Every structure is written in C-alpha cells, then in structure tokens.
Amino acid sequence: MRLYRIAAVAAYVCAVLLVVNVLRRAGVVPETTLTHAIAPFGALTGLFALTGLYLLIRGSAGNLGLIGYLLNSAGLAGAFAIEYALHFIFPSLDGTTVTGLLAGGTGMAFLVTSVVLVAGVLTFGAAALRSGLLPPPGVALYVVGMIPGSLRSALPVPVYLIGLVVAAAGIVWMATRLWSAEDDPGMVAASGAVAH
C-alpha cells in the first residue's frame, strides 16, 4: 500500500471508532472491556489520517497548513491521552480523587488540550480549504463536528456526540480523496509530496 492509501485506511478506521464510541455513549452498543479498550484509538488513528491529509495539501497550504497540522496533531495526541486516562486510569480511582484531579492541574491540562485541538482544527480547516485539494464539504463537516467534539466537558453530551458523528462524516469524505490521490498524478504533483 502507498502512503495516501494507508492514511485513508487510518481515516476510515478513525471514523468507525468515533461512531462506535458515540453508539457506546448513547447506549446502543454495550459497555464492554472491548468497547472501552478501543475508545482511545479514534484519536490515534485520526493523527495518522491527519498526517496523510497534511502531506497531500502541504504544497499549496503554506505556513498556515503547517501551523494547523502541528496544532491539530498536538490536540489529537492530547485527546488520545485524555481518552486513555478516562478509560484506563480514572475507573481505578475513587470519585473524590477523580474530582480532585479534574479541579486541579489535570482539569487544566484537559482544557488546554481542548483549546489547542479547536485552534488546530480551525487552522487546518482554513488551510485545507485554501489548498483546494480536499473536498470543501468534507473539510467543513470535519471542522463543524470537531469543534463540539473537542469541547466534551463544556457542552451537553448530545451536542458532543452529534459533533463526533458529523466529524466522522467529514473524515470519511476527506479519506475518499486521499484514497483516490494515488491514482491522480496531478494531485500528487500539486501536493509536492512523494506518495511511495
């Protein structure tokens, strides 16, 4: 497989994991050891997908694209750490300890991660639209969905979950462009990237 197609597969997996997480939180998919174990990997596969998307647009996205990629990547890495803590560390702690952590430095770190992720999503989205290499509706869905998806603790749960579904739709749309980029020499040349 080539680079863009590997990134596209990561994007498809990311979208599936986001939807499974939404369905689990909504009570449609049961809470099991497996559904908790895979939950953090939506953010991790999203990081791989984002790298492929950036490589596709980097030739025409300029410094804005690089800044957006770095901020969005840092936010997704932080989101992976948060999800890991929520699913594998917090359940082992008593409620008072968790409340204390969230009221202190841990809560502040979660907030900073959310702000960085929102800033990265907005910046990367603007760069992706400017590049003209990704489908504008897919980019728009990603941005509109990831804003509430990044602000999990500040918004009602249904808004957060709907945001993740919208973001997943945008990710799939952009992944389709990544997949087809392998067969479009003009797109690969415009990106300034080597796809092999």
Side-chain angles (χ1 to χ4, degrees), residues 154-165:
L155 296 172
V157 172
V159 175
Y160 162 70
L161 296 179
I162 290 168
L164 291 181
V165 172

Side-chain angles (χ1 to χ4, degrees), residues 54-63 65 127-128 130-134 190-192:
Y54 171 67
L55 290 175
L56 182 64
I57 69 168
R58 73 178 174 180
S60 55
N63 289 335
R130 187 174 80 175
S131 78
L133 292 172
L134 293 175
S191 74

Side-chain angles (χ1 to χ4, degrees), residues 12 29 146 195:
Y12 292 133
V29 170
M146 280 303 293

Side-chain angles (χ1 to χ4, degrees), residues 3 26 40 53-54 58 74 87 111 114 116 122 131 142 147 150:
L3 175 68
L53 292 167
Y54 171 67
R58 73 178 174 180
H87 289 276
L111 175 61
S114 294
V116 169
L122 289 170
S131 78
Y142 174 70
I147 292 172
S150 303

Side-chain angles (χ1 to χ4, degrees), residues 17 21 24 32-42 80 84 87-88:
L17 290 174
N21 285 337
R24 178 184 53 78
T32 66
T33 304
L34 176 62
T35 57
H36 279 282
I38 63 173
F41 290 95
F80 174 72
Y84 191 89
H87 289 276
F88 298 112

